[in-house]
Amino acid sequence: MVQAKTCCSELSDYCPTVLIVQVVVRHRILRTLCLLWFYVLEVVDIISSIEFDRTGDHLATGDRGGRVVLFERTYTRDHDGNRRDLEKMDFPITRHPEFRYKTEFQSHEPEFDYLKSLEIEEKINKIRWCQSANGALFLLSTNDKTIKFWKVHEKKVKKICDMNVDPAKAAGNGPVVGPSIPTSYKPYTANGGCLDKPLGVSNDFSFPPGGVPSLRLPVVLTGNEMSLVPRCRRIYAHAHDYHINSISNNSDGETFISADDLRINLWNLEISNQSFNIVDVKPANMEDLTEVITSAEFHPTHCHMLAYSSSRGSIRLVDMRQSALCDSHSKLFEEQEVPGSRSFFTEIIASISDIKFAKDGRYILSRDYMTLKLWDINMDSGPVSTFQVHEYLRPKLCDLYENDSIFDKFECCLSGDGLRVATGSYSNLFRVFGCSSEGSTDATTLEASKNPMRRQVQTPSRPSRSLGTLSRGFRRGADSSGVDTNGNAFDFTTKLLHLAWHPTENSLACAASNSLYMYYA
């Protein structure tokens, strides 16, 4: 290696072409490193999870870099009149919901499993809020393998002021201390003798005429300034052999479930080193595996009921009171296949990527690749409503399969009153459907951008009136809509996978790449 370097150096001295080649190569390497750095910077900022808390006053987002960002709702008045004018108003002052940045923290770090030679990403897969207590916020966050329980609370800031050099400032640390040992004090020995010099004082030490001055210590002051402190309370690890795709809180406030491809575990929030396996679909021979678990959700009010979906398009309702191992379901929800409609992509597009319970627990909303389905838990014969999300992509399934877009996992959500459902699509579009009791199936297609009405897909459905004037509340990051102006081309690289509905109001939060948007009606 030393000879090779010497030869290259000698050659470059006599041949300027070699120097030019070296400079060009170095320039290309630096350019490639810069491009990779910008690419990594953009990838880690992509939002991977959104969740409102139960009150709707807080919003949490997780990204591919393992960070959790919290937003807080602000309550401000539109009118700044005097008190007499405000008292004359006999109606509440309405204002569009606004959220501001609250805090952020690093939830997960990249890890490496040396036993399995597996690299574990720091990407946040799911975030779930827990019940708050004493003004503190609690939430669960998970990546592929590890679940963490976080507490975010306010703490008064303590500041260290200057040393108490001035005797007047020393009062904060106590009275001014005089000589540590009085000069008039003469210690006595055990046998009654008297020492001429104080104990612990060397022969060459002499007190100053004014005595020993006071100790100079820093003054610690606690002001009214508050800071948010995130703290990891517990870590729930080493319980899943496969990637975690779901976590869900129980209505009892004490337990939660975590699901991977083959198992669902039940945890207690106070116990991090033990969990109970309640669902296990792993066959004795992995060659006999026909389906995997894709999503799991607790019932919002019944603590003994949960539902989980599979890659074959079925939803199973489980009652934990029947047995400790809930492999046998109490109800099965699946749509019968139409004869003659089976193709190579039938099973792929039938895989359910997300399920959500309605607020009252009566209905279950499921999202597969092409449709949204609304199920009544009291009727397992079929869905009560089916909504076509992007039926225009059916002729392009071959192209979607080749670029792996057919395996994208879109989430879904319901409004607090249960009258509307929403899900995302490509080109940063999302669709909102009406599902009222009157049988209305109004649909609105909007784009996650500064101008949500810029892009409209022509559908036979009549636009919804209540969501026709949606506007942007706030955004995070840069605009990355990536759609053509002619309205005919669809960009499969820009997709809206994650969105969440406010629990009590008609507002919707959605994520497009590294941007966060909020729409309200």
Side-chain angles (χ1 to χ4, degrees), residues 233-298:
R233 294 286 302 273
R234 289 174 186 84
I235 299 178
Y236 313 90
H238 311 297
H240 288 278
D241 295 331
Y242 304 93
H243 290 178
I244 299 174
N245 54 49
S246 301
I247 54 175
S248 179
N249 301 92
N250 200 346
S251 58
D252 60 6
E254 298 179 356
T255 58
F256 70 94
I257 58 173
S258 60
D260 61 17
D261 293 339
L262 299 179
R263 292 185 177 92
I264 298 178
N265 294 333
L266 178 66
W267 299 83
N268 190 299
L269 286 171
E270 303 296 330
I271 303 173
S272 60
N273 58 358
Q274 185 181 18
S275 64
F276 298 95
N277 179 230
I278 57 177
V279 175
D280 189 353
V281 299
K282 183 178 181 180
N285 186 3
M286 288 297 291
E287 295 180 357
D288 300 332
L289 183 65
T290 58
E291 60 180 345
V292 296
I293 300 172
T294 57
S295 181
E297 190 83 7
F298 256 123

Side-chain angles (χ1 to χ4, degrees), residues 401-422:
Y401 178 77
E402 291 178 357
N403 59 21
D404 291 338
S405 296
I406 200 171
F407 302 104
D408 290 334
K409 307 299 181 184
F410 293 94
E411 294 182 359
C412 59
C413 61
L414 298 92
S415 60
D417 54 10
L419 299 180
R420 280 173 175 80
V421 296

Side-chain angles (χ1 to χ4, degrees), residues 72-309:
E72 183 181 27
R73 180 168 182 173
T74 59
Y75 292 93
T76 57
R77 295 183 180 272
D78 290 333
H79 305 279
D80 296 331
N82 53 30
R83 181 177 179 180
R84 182 176 299 177
D85 294 337
L86 294 177
E87 289 178 350
K88 292 179 181 179
M89 297 181 182
D90 56 350
F91 59 90
I93 300 176
T94 60
R95 182 181 176 88
H96 297 307
E98 292 185 0
F99 285 77
R100 66 179 179 183
Y101 171 84
K102 186 177 180 69
T103 186
E104 67 178 275
F105 56 90
Q106 188 71 30
S107 175
H108 288 74
E109 298 284 352
E111 301 176 6
F112 189 81
D113 190 345
Y114 294 97
L115 295 178
K116 298 181 180 179
S117 298
L118 180 65
E119 185 177 359
I120 303 174
E121 286 185 310
E122 66 271 25
K123 179 176 75 75
I124 304 297
N125 292 340
K126 293 290 181 180
I127 295 176
R128 290 293 182 267
W129 289 91
C130 302
Q131 295 180 358
S132 59
N134 299 326
L137 303 176
F138 297 89
L139 53 88
L140 291 167
S141 63
T142 181
N143 62 351
D144 290 338
K145 295 293 183 179
T146 306
I147 308 169
K148 294 186 178 182
F149 183 47
W150 290 90
K151 176 184 178 181
V152 181
H153 61 100
E154 292 184 343
K155 187 177 181 180
K156 290 186 177 180
V157 178
K158 294 182 178 181
K159 295 183 179 180
I160 299 178
C161 298
D162 297 334
M163 309 287 280
N164 55 346
V165 178
D166 189 359
K169 298 181 181 179
N173 288 331
V176 177
V177 182
S180 58
I181 300 177
T183 55
S184 62
Y185 172 74
K186 295 182 178 180
Y188 292 88
T189 59
N191 56 5
C194 177
L195 298 177
D196 295 336
K197 295 182 179 181
L199 290 174
V201 181
S202 61
N203 296 329
D204 57 349
F205 178 82
S206 61
F207 288 103
V212 178
S214 62
L215 295 176
R216 293 179 172 85
L217 300 176
V219 179
V220 180
L221 298 178
T222 302
N224 296 325
E225 184 179 356
M226 306 292 289
S227 66
L228 289 170
V229 180
R231 185 164 65 93
C232 184
R233 294 286 302 273
R234 289 174 186 84
I235 299 178
Y236 313 90
H238 311 297
H240 288 278
D241 295 331
Y242 304 93
H243 290 178
I244 299 174
N245 54 49
S246 301
I247 54 175
S248 179
N249 301 92
N250 200 346
S251 58
D252 60 6
E254 298 179 356
T255 58
F256 70 94
I257 58 173
S258 60
D260 61 17
D261 293 339
L262 299 179
R263 292 185 177 92
I264 298 178
N265 294 333
L266 178 66
W267 299 83
N268 190 299
L269 286 171
E270 303 296 330
I271 303 173
S272 60
N273 58 358
Q274 185 181 18
S275 64
F276 298 95
N277 179 230
I278 57 177
V279 175
D280 189 353
V281 299
K282 183 178 181 180
N285 186 3
M286 288 297 291
E287 295 180 357
D288 300 332
L289 183 65
T290 58
E291 60 180 345
V292 296
I293 300 172
T294 57
S295 181
E297 190 83 7
F298 256 123
H299 194 279
T301 56
H302 300 321
C303 61
H304 56 85
M305 293 180 61
L306 63 96
Y308 67 92
S309 60

Side-chain angles (χ1 to χ4, degrees), residues 411-438:
E411 294 182 359
C412 59
C413 61
L414 298 92
S415 60
D417 54 10
L419 299 180
R420 280 173 175 80
V421 296
T423 188
S425 181
Y426 293 103
S427 298
N428 287 343
L429 300 177
F430 66 96
R431 305 204 67 191
V432 181
F433 301 92
C435 52
S436 61
S437 58
E438 293 82 3

